[in-house]
Amino acid sequence: MKNNSQFSIVNTHSHVYDEAFDADRDEVIKRAVSQKVTKIILPDIDSTSRERMFTVAQQYPDTCFPMLGLHPTSVNEHYEQELQAVYREIDQRAIVGIGEIGIDLYWDKTFLEQQVEVFSKQMCIAQERDLPVVIHVRKAFNETYKALRDLPSQNFKGIFHCFSGSKEEALKVIEMGFHIGIGGVLTFKTSHLPEVVKLIPRDKIVLETDDPYLTPVPHRGERNEPGYVALVAEKLSEILHCSLDDVMDFTTNNALSIFNI
Ligand SMILES: [Zn+2]
């Protein structure tokens, strides 16, 4: 896809620091930039991948912006140490937000209580420091909603990333003050997301890939990469009956209202 417009895209969720890109990361990032994807937000997972994330952010300081946070699927019997590591790093690193954090009950419910604790604590860190959050929810919308509503401050800024929920859930997310991250799922043939996305106000939509996973059509089955966010933008312009420039314009403005980048 060639794009000659003056507008650019912010990819609000890419794991381009993942080992899946070790062999060709430079080309992948150049390809993204050639698709006008000029800024890429890197969500953190845990201590095993963090150093790699910060190294990539250092190598591409104008393009890649790291976050900090403990991912819900990394909450296990060692969660206290992992959380301590987040507290330690927060004053030592230049980060643009707290994430990805949240609740994931898809694989395992063993650590639900700990997931809620870790999520709530990291929400509080973000609120204290006025940092945006990126929230990962999988098969746990009600649990996540309750954890957020139980927080002492209801002042929220950030993204429910890779959203694939219902209309009702989308409206709850927006009502709390969050933005909604739309990724490759939008292009899937069986997805109900196109219907949901029509109901989301434009000033609440941001774009993402969540690469190397969730590859959009027509590349399904291959590795996803940050530049493919342009395919998501294109699909969104079809669904909303507006130009690609419009989509690039409003989603970038939304991303820049969240992240100080
Ligand atoms: Zn992710």
Side-chain angles (χ1 to χ4, degrees):
M1 194 176 80
K2 277 271 176 299
N3 188 343
N4 297 316
S5 90
Q6 62 185 50
F7 297 105
S8 60
I9 305 181
V10 179
N11 185 339
T12 60
H13 200 112
S14 160
H15 298 274
V16 71
Y17 61 88
D18 191 277
E19 283 154 335
F21 299 104
D22 279 356
D24 61 347
R25 185 170 294 106
D26 204 51
E27 289 152 51
V28 165
I29 290 177
K30 279 189 186 133
R31 268 203 295 277
V33 173
S34 78
Q35 294 289 341
K36 302 253 178 177
V37 183
T38 51
K39 292 186 193 290
I40 302 172
I41 308 288
L42 309 180
D44 189 15
I45 301 285
D46 61 30
S47 62
T48 64
S49 56
R50 190 164 293 141
E51 214 43 60
R52 208 164 53 229
M53 177 186 71
F54 284 124
T55 302
V56 169
Q58 244 162 29
Q59 285 165 344
Y60 302 92
D62 300 326
T63 311
C64 294
F65 301 87
M67 303 183 77
L68 178 69
L70 180 58
H71 192 287
T73 59
S74 296
V75 173
N76 52 35
E77 54 278 0
H78 308 297
Y79 82 98
E80 280 171 321
Q81 279 159 266
E82 283 284 349
L83 197 56
Q84 283 311 315
V86 170
Y87 284 115
R88 228 179 12 252
E89 298 273 4
I90 194 163
D91 290 316
Q92 292 163 14
R93 306 281 197 173
I95 53 163
V96 298
I98 299 293
E100 54 191 295
I101 60 175
I103 303 178
D104 188 322
L105 300 178
Y106 182 78
W107 299 108
D108 191 0
K109 295 188 169 97
T110 316
F111 293 99
L112 170 60
E113 201 182 307
Q114 291 81 357
Q115 284 195 39
V116 172
E117 179 191 338
V118 168
F119 174 50
S120 304
K121 283 184 171 159
Q122 294 185 101
M123 279 301 305
C124 290
I125 304 173
Q127 288 175 319
E128 279 163 22
R129 291 165 190 259
D130 198 26
L131 286 168
V133 292
V134 165
I135 298 181
H136 167 110
V137 181
R138 201 168 179 201
K139 291 262 179 289
F141 186 84
N142 291 337
E143 291 82 356
T144 306
Y145 185 73
K146 184 181 183 312
L148 287 166
R149 285 309 196 193
D150 285 345
L151 289 171
S153 164
Q154 292 293 295
N155 191 8
F156 299 128
K157 180 169 70 175
I159 299 167
F160 265 62
H161 111 85
C162 191
F163 186 82
S164 59
S166 65
K167 289 175 207 168
E168 293 72 25
E169 290 170 354
L171 296 176
K172 281 183 171 175
V173 167
I174 293 162
E175 194 199 309
M176 284 188 286
F178 289 104
H179 284 74
I180 292 185
I182 299 292
V185 175
L186 189 68
T187 68
F188 296 178
K189 292 200 171 47
T190 54
S191 173
H192 65 284
L193 198 55
E195 290 312 308
V196 175
V197 91
K198 287 178 194 163
L199 303 170
I200 304 174
R202 288 186 186 191
D203 64 349
K204 291 295 175 189
I205 301 175
V206 292
L207 300 175
E208 63 168 87
T209 42
D210 202 15
D211 55 78
Y213 314 107
L214 294 168
T215 313
V217 172
H219 298 289
R220 277 193 88 173
E222 300 165 27
R223 179 188 68 177
N224 198 0
E225 60 175 66
Y228 289 173
V229 72
L231 296 165
V232 181
E234 205 168 56
K235 182 73 185 178
L236 188 60
S237 76
E238 279 169 32
I239 294 167
L240 298 182
H241 304 294
C242 62
S243 70
L244 186 56
D245 277 357
D246 277 346
V247 167
M248 290 164 83
D249 187 34
F250 74 74
T251 57
T252 295
N253 282 334
N254 296 343
L256 296 179
S257 77
I258 302 167
F259 298 105
N260 186 15
I261 51 176

Coordinates of all heavy atoms in Angstrom, one line a residue, residues 13-15 43-45 71 100 136 161 208 210-211 213, ligand 1:
H13 N 0.4 0.2 19.9 CA 0.6 -1.1 20.6 C 1.4 -2.0 19.6 O 0.8 -2.7 18.8 CB -0.7 -1.7 21.0 CG -0.5 -2.8 22.1 ND1 -1.0 -2.6 23.4 CD2 0.1 -4.0 22.1 CE1 -0.7 -3.7 24.1 NE2 0.0 -4.5 23.3
S14 N 2.7 -2.1 19.8 CA 3.5 -3.0 19.0 C 4.7 -3.6 19.8 O 5.3 -2.9 20.6 CB 4.2 -2.2 17.9 OG 5.3 -2.9 17.3
H15 N 4.8 -4.9 19.7 CA 5.9 -5.6 20.4 C 7.1 -5.8 19.4 O 7.6 -6.9 19.3 CB 5.5 -6.9 21.0 CG 4.4 -6.8 22.0 ND1 4.6 -6.6 23.4 CD2 3.0 -6.8 21.9 CE1 3.5 -6.5 24.0 NE2 2.5 -6.6 23.2
P43 N 4.5 -1.6 24.4 CA 4.0 -2.1 25.7 C 4.9 -3.1 26.4 O 5.4 -4.0 25.7 CB 2.6 -2.7 25.4 CG 2.7 -2.9 23.9 CD 3.9 -2.3 23.3
D44 N 5.1 -3.0 27.6 CA 6.0 -3.9 28.4 C 5.3 -5.2 28.8 O 4.0 -5.2 28.8 CB 6.4 -3.1 29.7 CG 7.5 -3.8 30.5 OD1 8.2 -4.7 29.9 OD2 7.7 -3.4 31.6
I45 N 6.0 -6.2 29.0 CA 5.4 -7.5 29.5 C 5.9 -7.9 30.9 O 5.1 -7.9 31.8 CB 5.8 -8.7 28.5 CG1 5.4 -8.4 27.1 CG2 5.2 -10.0 29.0 CD1 3.9 -8.5 26.8
H71 N 2.5 -7.5 32.7 CA 1.4 -8.0 32.0 C 0.6 -9.0 32.8 O 1.2 -9.8 33.6 CB 1.9 -8.7 30.7 CG 0.9 -9.1 29.7 ND1 0.1 -10.1 29.9 CD2 0.7 -8.5 28.5 CE1 -0.7 -10.2 28.8 NE2 -0.3 -9.3 27.9
E100 N 1.7 -3.2 29.4 CA 0.3 -3.4 29.4 C 0.0 -4.1 30.7 O 0.6 -5.0 31.2 CB -0.2 -4.2 28.2 CG 0.5 -5.5 27.9 CD 0.1 -6.0 26.5 OE1 -1.1 -6.4 26.4 OE2 1.0 -6.1 25.7
H136 N -4.9 -4.5 29.1 CA -5.2 -5.7 28.4 C -6.3 -6.5 29.1 O -6.1 -6.8 30.3 CB -3.8 -6.5 28.4 CG -4.0 -7.9 28.0 ND1 -3.5 -8.4 26.8 CD2 -4.5 -9.0 28.6 CE1 -3.7 -9.7 26.7 NE2 -4.3 -10.1 27.8
H161 N -6.8 -1.9 25.1 CA -6.1 -2.2 23.8 C -6.7 -3.5 23.2 O -7.3 -4.3 23.9 CB -4.6 -2.3 24.1 CG -4.0 -3.7 24.0 ND1 -3.7 -4.3 22.8 CD2 -3.8 -4.6 24.9 CE1 -3.2 -5.5 23.0 NE2 -3.3 -5.7 24.3
E208 N -3.7 0.2 16.4 CA -2.6 -0.6 16.9 C -2.5 -1.9 16.1 O -3.3 -2.2 15.3 CB -2.9 -1.0 18.4 CG -4.2 -1.8 18.5 CD -4.3 -2.5 19.9 OE1 -4.8 -1.8 20.8 OE2 -3.8 -3.6 20.1
D210 N -0.5 -4.9 17.9 CA -0.2 -5.9 18.8 C 0.7 -7.0 18.2 O 0.6 -8.2 18.5 CB -1.5 -6.6 19.4 CG -1.2 -7.3 20.7 OD1 -0.2 -7.0 21.3 OD2 -2.0 -8.1 21.2
D211 N 1.5 -6.5 17.2 CA 2.4 -7.5 16.6 C 3.3 -8.1 17.6 O 3.6 -7.4 18.6 CB 3.2 -6.8 15.5 CG 3.9 -5.5 16.0 OD1 5.0 -5.7 16.6 OD2 3.4 -4.4 15.7
Y213 N 1.5 -10.6 16.9 CA 0.2 -11.4 16.9 C -0.9 -10.7 16.1 O -0.7 -9.5 15.8 CB -0.3 -11.7 18.3 CG 0.9 -12.2 19.2 CD1 1.4 -11.4 20.2 CD2 1.4 -13.4 19.0 CE1 2.5 -11.8 21.0 CE2 2.5 -13.9 19.8 CZ 3.0 -13.0 20.7 OH 4.1 -13.4 21.5
Ligands
ZN1 ZN 0.3 -6.6 23.7

